[in-house]
Amino acid sequence: SQELEQSPQSLIVQEGKNLTINCTSSKTLYGLYWYKQKYGEGLIFLMMLQKGGEEKSHEKITAKLDEKKQQSSLHITASQPSHAGIYLCGAGPYGNKLVFGAGTILRVKS
Amino acid sequence: DTGVSQNPRHKITKRGQNVTFRCDPISEHNRLYWYRQTLGQGPEFLTYFQNEAQLEKSRLLSDRFSAERPKGSFSTLEIQRTEQGDSAMYLCASSLGRRGSYEQYFGPGTRLTVT
């Protein structure tokens, strides 16, 4: 079965700094999803990547899927307190169930 | 377009009691998913529906768990004879389930505490 490993488990950054979160899969990724979660709440969809080498951006968040489709990264530029939360990567093909990583806890110090 | 809604948001029950959760997906979304999340972990898949058909169930879903989606609209998840290990956040998600529209949108979750 597919397993996703996220790194780091947690990080604290100063407001305005850039940061990167990684998601590595044990198998080829067919559909990689990034979500954000506030503690005790549901998941907010950020982006979906499907093709090797694909890159998508939304506001100050950029997600990439490597050419071999086994690793994805989420990059936040000029972090703000509103970026704080838990970032989760999930994988699953074509609308089927998603397997999730354990999440990365992000704290932004102002 | 309202998002996915779940009720109740919180449920405290005593061990051995039955509980039922409800999920209302985004309208016109064909697929509906149930996940369970415990503290410090990512969500774990429980089951999902394509319209009213239950297409897959996880091995996590013991005989005490049952899910339905009558008429392909809202869904219910019932847990019978609850155990303390059932304490978790139960998340529902929905998607269009068509090519190019596979993103799953999640509801706020139902937090279950079994005492």
Side-chain angles (χ1 to χ4, degrees), chain A residues 23-79:
Chain A
C23 176
T24 302
S25 173
S26 59
K27 295 184 177 180
T28 301
L29 291 162
Y30 294 103
L32 187 285
Y33 301 76
W34 283 101
Y35 289 88
K36 179 185 175 185
Q37 185 177 32
K38 292 283 192 182
Y39 179 74
E41 298 180 9
L43 281 64
I44 300 169
F45 172 75
L46 296 176
M47 278 170 279
M48 185 187 86
L49 304 166
Q50 283 188 303
K51 300 175 184 176
E54 187 174 9
E55 180 176 321
K56 288 187 178 179
S57 293
H58 176 68
E59 297 180 342
K60 294 184 178 180
I61 301 177
T62 300
K64 300 178 185 179
L65 182 61
D66 74 340
E67 290 287 347
K68 293 183 179 180
K69 295 173 62 174
Q70 284 203 287
Q71 188 169 32
S72 177
S73 61
L74 187 81
H75 183 77
I76 298 177
T77 303
S79 58

Side-chain angles (χ1 to χ4, degrees), chain A residues 35 37 40 95-98, chain B residues 31 33 35 37 48 56 104:
Chain A
Y35 289 88
Q37 185 177 32
N96 293 339
K97 65 185 179 186
L98 293 180
Chain B
R31 293 199 171 184
Y33 312 78
Y35 294 85
Q37 185 179 29
Y48 86 97
E56 187 173 351
Q104 295 183 24

